Amino acid sequence: MSGFMQIGEVAARTELSLRSLRHWEEVGLLTPSGRSEGGFRLYTEDDVEKILVIRRMKPLGFSIESMKAVMADLNLLRDDASSPADRDAARARLGEVRDEAHERRRQLARQLAMADEFIGLVSRESE
């Protein structure tokens, strides 16, 4: 089955645990493209790209449901059979998610700045 990767290779490439990948399948966030005759999960390059999108959303604190919605909208935009109205609606929803991601990133940057200040304070006091 050329072109397919097993879960261990995907985990190594995406820097995720086997447990995370299995959990994402259990909650319906990502489905591997296939299964081997022995029942092993088989992933494609496209699956890896989807995993990387999800991995990038995770630090921003998006819920599983939000991640599912983003993945559905991305899939809809990549589907040539989707209607122009559906594509427009997906783009609008993704625009809202983008705005929310920007705000979440700003919050993380503020937290990081506070952490840096704390480290600086402790470093000065411990020298």
Side-chain angles (χ1 to χ4, degrees):
M1 295 192 111
S2 180
F4 285 99
M5 296 165 272
Q6 290 189 359
I7 194 169
E9 182 180 349
V10 172
R13 286 187 55 190
T14 60
E15 299 178 349
L16 289 164
S17 68
L18 300 176
R19 183 174 180 219
S20 290
L21 293 171
R22 288 181 186 124
H23 174 70
W24 290 356
E25 181 181 2
E26 288 170 15
V27 298
L29 188 55
L30 175 80
T31 302
S33 287
R35 293 263 182 185
S36 70
E37 288 183 20
F40 294 104
R41 293 165 179 85
L42 297 174
Y43 297 87
T44 62
E45 286 296 329
D46 189 47
D47 294 332
V48 170
E49 289 303 314
K50 291 174 184 177
I51 290 165
L52 292 173
V53 170
I54 296 165
R55 192 186 85 186
R56 290 176 182 123
M57 290 182 72
K58 194 116 178 71
L60 294 171
F62 284 100
S63 69
I64 295 286
E65 291 306 316
S66 293
M67 288 188 258
K68 282 183 190 179
V70 166
M71 297 309 294
D73 283 336
L74 291 173
N75 288 334
L76 190 147
L77 290 173
R78 293 175 181 147
D79 182 359
D80 293 335
S82 60
S83 73
D86 287 343
R87 289 172 169 276
D88 289 344
R91 283 188 193 97
R93 287 187 299 267
L94 289 172
E96 291 172 8
V97 170
R98 181 201 56 227
D99 294 345
E100 186 175 349
H102 277 297
E103 179 54 34
R104 288 174 183 230
R105 187 194 180 288
R106 280 190 285 278
Q107 292 171 1
L108 286 171
R110 284 192 297 271
Q111 290 175 341
L112 185 58
M114 283 188 255
D116 288 343
E117 289 173 11
F118 172 71
I119 291 167
L121 174 86
V122 172
S123 294
R124 285 189 302 277
E125 295 296 327
S126 64
E127 291 177 354

